[in-house]
Amino acid sequence: MAFAASLAKLQAEASCPICLDYLRDPVTIACGHNFCHSCIHQRWEGLQGTFPCPVCLHHCPDRSLKRNTQLCYMTEITKQIPTSGSQRKMQEEIPLCGKHHEVLTLFCEKSLELLCPQCKGSLDPQDQPLIPIEEAAASQRGLLKRYIGVLTKHLKTAVKVYKHQGANILAVKRKMNKWRKKLDYECNDLKYSLEIEYNEIDNDLLIEENNVEEKLIENGRQISYHMFRLSNLLSEIEEKCLQTDEDLLTGVESIHNSYENIESPTIFSYKLKKAIFTLPPHYLGLHEMICTFQADLTLDPETAHPDLIISINRKHATYRIPDRLLNPQTLISYPAVLSSEGFDAGRHFWVVTIGVTGECSLGVCKESFPINTLISPSPSNGCWTHTFGPFSIPKEKIGVFLDYELGEVSFYNLKTCSYLYRITATFTGKLMPYFSIASSSESFTSIITV
């Protein structure tokens, strides 16, 4: 292979760049290039002043031609060397200018195309940079090799992202399956009335899963197509770099355009909704909530309204309609009592049994809130409560759930396992559970049990 290549180069050196045949009566012009005497004489015929070299466009000052006797002998020797079929084919395939039918010896760095010496006169503009093929091929080959490095890096990145997006699809499925199992677990003890809500949630999960999965798959297709384009371009450039100078420079413009127009696809990133479940909290583990966060409260006699009687075990508060003439304070205050226990962090659940047919208020207040005064309980005063009733049936059980960090106080009917109401706020300082029985003109006994 090396001998054949060297032989081909020797035969190329013994050939005329104009007629492409072996040199006949070879002459050397001022720039050092060699031509047949008749070929260069015909090329310069009619020219005056300067005479451009057909190969390098060097401007020779005159028609001075120097006969090259040694090259003539070398050409005669080269003619005697047998030429293989492949070598003859290479010689026959030397590209010619389609317009002037001359050897393509020049390369335009601006238009990125091969030209013959006569093409220079038809360039627009005339001063476009032209360089010999050998120099242009070396420059372009170096540039294409740099493309290979950049494209290889892009391809590795695309492969990595593609694998990552594939892993994301599995991660979405795992998370959705986990949430679906949790939903199944929480709904196992529910009756037929929950099936409709369950199906709605499951449908939401499926829509969310399909939506994210569809986008990830589509993004994967885009990345896969991007990888395909990168691979094809990389293969094309690698193949181009192995070609001869003329073949390498032929059509190199399309490779430059493809390389410069490479656009990486946008990487789709997803963020699953945190609040997927729309079921009320009591359907999603009210029993578990009570068992996990239930607080054992006792009533504080020091904070009790004069008309409230606190039991010895401090679990019951009994309200009796007082004699307002004997106790004027009952006319100007709300009968309330606080818990002995307070909370400044965490989540806590307590149960209140109300043995009354009237109204009562439950909630939390700041430790500094002045109860049993003219100041009405309100969020602006540091007291967050909700009034229940009037109850038609005594012994109602109300669950109160405090989430300090979330800033929520939720209320539940424990007999029907139904969600009742929620208060939201920003809490600071210590909060005390608050219990109040509305004043009434009727003569009956009301009892609160914690």
Side-chain angles (χ1 to χ4, degrees):
M1 293 296 291
F3 174 76
S6 299
L7 180 57
K9 290 182 179 180
L10 177 61
Q11 291 171 334
E13 289 297 327
S15 300
C16 174
I18 297 177
C19 68
L20 303 182
D21 202 351
Y22 284 117
L23 288 164
R24 298 183 301 276
D25 192 13
V27 293
T28 304
I29 63 176
C31 63
H33 285 105
N34 303 300
F35 304 92
C36 296
H37 182 276
S38 58
C39 290
I40 192 63
H41 183 272
Q42 184 180 1
R43 175 59 60 84
W44 283 354
E45 186 176 1
L47 299 181
Q48 295 181 355
T50 58
F51 306 92
C53 170
V55 176
C56 66
L57 298 183
H58 173 76
H59 286 247
C60 301
D62 51 39
R63 296 175 182 270
S64 176
L65 302 175
K66 185 178 180 180
R67 295 187 179 279
N68 195 328
T69 306
Q70 185 176 5
L71 181 57
C72 181
Y73 292 150
M74 186 187 75
T75 302
E76 291 300 324
I77 295 173
T78 305
K79 289 180 180 180
Q80 306 304 318
I81 301 176
T83 303
S84 64
S86 59
Q87 291 169 345
R88 285 193 298 270
K89 185 177 179 181
M90 289 177 61
Q91 291 176 350
E92 292 171 359
E93 292 178 353
I94 294 177
L96 299 178
C97 175
K99 184 176 181 181
H100 303 106
H101 303 288
E102 294 192 9
V103 181
L104 299 171
T105 58
L106 300 172
F107 181 74
C108 179
E109 292 185 309
K110 185 174 181 180
S111 63
L112 300 177
E113 58 180 339
L114 289 167
L115 302 173
C116 75
Q118 289 195 37
C119 291
K120 184 177 181 181
S122 61
L123 291 178
D124 185 23
Q126 292 285 332
D127 59 347
Q128 294 190 42
L130 300 178
I131 58 176
I133 281 183
E134 296 81 0
E135 182 181 342
S139 175
Q140 292 296 319
R141 185 173 282 106
L143 183 59
L144 294 180
K145 286 183 178 179
R146 287 196 293 272
Y147 284 0
I148 291 175
V150 175
L151 290 174
T152 300
K153 184 177 180 181
H154 286 343
L155 180 59
K156 288 182 179 179
T157 301
V159 170
K160 183 178 180 181
V161 173
Y162 179 76
K163 290 181 179 179
H164 180 69
Q165 294 299 68
N168 284 341
I169 295 176
L170 296 178
V172 169
K173 287 183 175 293
R174 284 196 296 268
K175 287 183 180 180
M176 291 300 174
N177 289 334
K178 181 179 178 181
W179 288 344
R180 192 174 284 112
K181 288 180 181 179
K182 182 177 180 181
L183 178 65
D184 290 336
Y185 173 79
E186 295 291 351
C187 292
N188 279 338
D189 295 333
L190 299 179
K191 295 182 180 180
Y192 174 76
S193 60
L194 287 180
E195 292 180 2
I196 297 177
E197 293 187 66
Y198 170 79
N199 291 333
E200 291 178 351
I201 295 173
D202 188 64
N203 185 57
D204 290 341
L205 289 173
L206 184 60
I207 292 174
E208 178 75 359
E209 177 183 351
N210 290 339
N211 184 40
V212 175
E213 183 178 355
E214 180 180 352
K215 291 180 179 178
L216 286 172
I217 292 174
E218 177 58 27
N219 194 230
R221 292 195 189 101
Q222 295 173 358
I223 297 171
S224 178
Y225 178 67
H226 181 58
M227 291 164 54
F228 172 76
R229 290 186 61 194
L230 290 175
S231 297
N232 284 351
L233 183 56
L234 189 59
S235 299
E236 184 178 355
I237 293 177
E238 290 174 343
E239 181 180 352
K240 199 71 173 174
C241 288
L242 299 177
Q243 295 176 356
T244 63
D245 294 349
E246 291 80 8
D247 291 340
L248 181 142
L249 296 174
T250 301
V252 75
E253 180 182 7
S254 64
I255 293 182
H256 284 285
N257 291 337
S258 299
Y259 177 82
E260 292 169 359
N261 292 327
I262 289 176
E263 290 183 5
S264 298
T266 302
I267 306 305
F268 169 71
S269 59
Y270 70 94
K271 184 176 182 181
L272 297 177
K273 298 177 182 178
K274 292 184 179 179
I276 281 290
F277 305 121
T278 58
L279 286 175
H282 57 281
Y283 286 156
L284 298 176
L286 181 58
H287 176 71
E288 183 178 351
M289 183 190 300
I290 296 174
C291 295
T292 305
F293 303 110
Q294 185 164 17
D296 185 17
L297 302 184
T298 56
L299 302 176
D300 183 6
E302 298 295 328
T303 63
H305 186 276
D307 293 334
L308 290 179
I309 302 173
I310 308 302
S311 64
I312 296 177
N313 64 1
R314 296 162 59 183
K315 288 288 187 179
H316 310 281
T318 304
Y319 173 76
R320 293 181 180 275
I321 300 300
D323 185 346
R324 302 185 190 278
L325 296 178
L326 297 178
N327 193 349
Q329 185 182 1
T330 59
L331 300 176
I332 59 173
S333 62
Y334 299 86
V337 62
L338 301 182
S339 168
S340 298
E341 297 77 20
F343 311 106
D344 56 7
R347 290 177 286 183
H348 310 276
F349 191 98
W350 58 90
V351 180
V352 182
T353 302
I354 303 173
V356 60
T357 55
E359 296 179 348
C360 72
S361 296
L362 304 175
V364 295
C365 68
K366 289 187 175 181
E367 192 174 20
S368 59
F369 176 73
I371 67 171
N372 302 320
T373 65
L374 284 176
I375 300 177
S376 60
S378 66
S380 60
N381 296 324
C383 189
W384 297 271
T385 64
H386 183 67
T387 301
F388 299 91
F391 295 103
S392 58
I393 301 176
K395 291 191 179 297
E396 289 285 353
K397 281 192 172 184
I398 303 296
V400 184
F401 181 63
L402 167 65
D403 191 326
Y404 191 98
E405 284 73 20
L406 190 60
E408 288 186 356
V409 180
S410 305
F411 303 91
Y412 304 90
N413 186 324
L414 298 186
K415 281 191 175 181
T416 61
C417 292
S418 60
Y419 169 79
L420 298 175
Y421 190 74
R422 180 180 65 179
I423 299 172
T424 59
T426 301
F427 300 135
T428 58
K430 194 173 186 179
L431 298 180
M432 312 300 296
Y434 176 96
F435 313 89
S436 175
I437 298 176
S439 300
S440 173
S441 60
E442 301 179 8
S443 298
F444 58 80
T445 300
S446 300
I447 300 175
I448 287 181
T449 304
V450 297

